[in-house]
């Protein structure tokens, strides 16, 4: 990445002063939950579809997969293709960790996710920064407790290794204050979420991860009616089930605030979860540095 690209992000950090949580004076904390792909960043990691007859492979982006995955094999542009769920050779093989020999580690070989993050930084900012990047930067800069909840199947430490590349390249000022990391296709993580038999879908597992993260937040930082929680995602099915889970959490913790941010198709739509339903507004992603701290002082 060019020095000029890095300089712009560094200047943004230099001109900022750390800010307290919106409800800090009341003892409340702001918790940020992020999907990674097409939210924090756009990576070139491809998914692989297999033709039904001759099994030839077609690569598609995570954005296209989010848009078409419910119709793959049934209708639309990928009606003649199937998914393959083998972690080593199938559709999601690039979204899983692979064994790296010790000698390869000494030679600097990294997991695919870490490589893909590093490769993305060779492109201009507007190509790799996702619609929630500024929110992610804001949360990291101010050390808000944050969770990464992603459909990827890497080990949680691999996700942290990839995010550390942003720090090493001066695009983040320091490492995030992790509340939790849930790659919900990672087998050990699925077991931790109560899906040891590997029967649940991604959206359902994200629901469980959100619930577990809220419970961890309260366990770690104490119960406070002024806590605020926000989650961003781009997949329509995930968004629907995230809204359902946050509605249940709102009923369980009615004094706390819950927000859902849709980032599909380049939009940035913020919904507040109310006991009587959703309240939504479309906002400009480039100026939306915070999920839900509306009265924060912008630098």
């Amino acid at each position: 990445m060019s020095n000029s690209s890095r300089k712009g992000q560094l200047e943004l950090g230099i001109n900022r002063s750390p800010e307290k949580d919106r409800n800090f004076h009341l003892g409340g904390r702001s918790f940020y939950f992020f999907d990674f792909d097409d939210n924090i960043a756009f990576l070139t990691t491809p998914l692989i579809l297999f033709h039904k007859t001759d099994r030839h492979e077609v690569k598609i982006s995570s954005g296209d997969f989010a848009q078409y995955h419910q119709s793959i094999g049934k209708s639309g542009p990928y009606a003649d293709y199937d998914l393959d769920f083998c972690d080593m050779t199938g559709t999601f093989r690039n979204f899983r960790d692979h064994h790296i020999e010790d000698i390869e580690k000494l030679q600097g070989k990294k997991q695919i996710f870490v490589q893909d993050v590093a490769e993305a930084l060779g492109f201009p900012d507007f190509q790799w920064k996702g619609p929630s990047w500024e929110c992610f930067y804001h949360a990291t800069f101010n050390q808000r407790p944050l969770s990464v909840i992603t459909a990827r199947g890497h080990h949680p430490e691999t996700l942290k290794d990839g995010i550390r590349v942003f720090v090493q390249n001066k695009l983040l000022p320091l490492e995030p204050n992790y509340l939790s990391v849930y790659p919900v296709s990672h087998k050990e993580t699925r077991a931790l979420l109560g899906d040891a038999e590997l029967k649940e879908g991604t959206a359902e597992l994200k629901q469980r991860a959100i619930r577990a993260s809220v419970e961890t937040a309260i366990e770690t930082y104490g119960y406070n009616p002024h806590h605020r929680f926000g989650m961003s995602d781009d997949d329509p099915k995930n968004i629907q089930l995230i809204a359902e889970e946050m509605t249940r959490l709102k009923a369980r913790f009615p004094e706390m605030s819950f927000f859902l941010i849709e980032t599909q198709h380049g939009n940035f739509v913020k919904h507040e979860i109310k006991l009587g339903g959703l309240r939504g507004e479309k906002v400009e992603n480039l100026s939306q540095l915070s999920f839900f701290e509306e009265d924060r002082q912008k630098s």
Side-chain angles (χ1 to χ4, degrees), residues 229 231 236-250 257-262 264 269-281:
F229 298 88
M231 169 86 193
K237 183 180 180 183
N238 291 348
I239 288 166
Q240 176 186 347
L241 294 191
I242 290 167
E244 291 176 5
E245 183 60 35
M246 284 192 160
T247 300
R248 285 191 285 269
L249 287 164
K250 179 67 176 177
S257 298
F258 295 87
F259 296 82
L260 166 63
I261 294 83
E262 293 185 63
Q264 56 183 332
V269 183
K270 180 177 65 177
H271 302 276
E272 182 171 1
I273 310 295
K274 297 288 191 178
L275 290 174
L278 300 181
R279 184 185 72 189
E281 64 173 309

Side-chain angles (χ1 to χ4, degrees), residues 32 48 131 176 212 253 257 272 287:
Y32 287 70
I48 313 299
F253 305 110
S257 298
E272 182 171 1
S287 63

Side-chain angles (χ1 to χ4, degrees), residues 54-77:
D54 62 16
R55 305 302 292 170
H56 79 260
E57 300 181 359
V58 168
K59 295 180 180 180
I60 66 169
S61 69
S62 56
D64 283 344
F65 184 77
Q67 181 176 356
Y68 294 112
H69 71 85
Q70 295 189 62
S71 64
I72 291 172
K74 302 173 185 176
S75 61

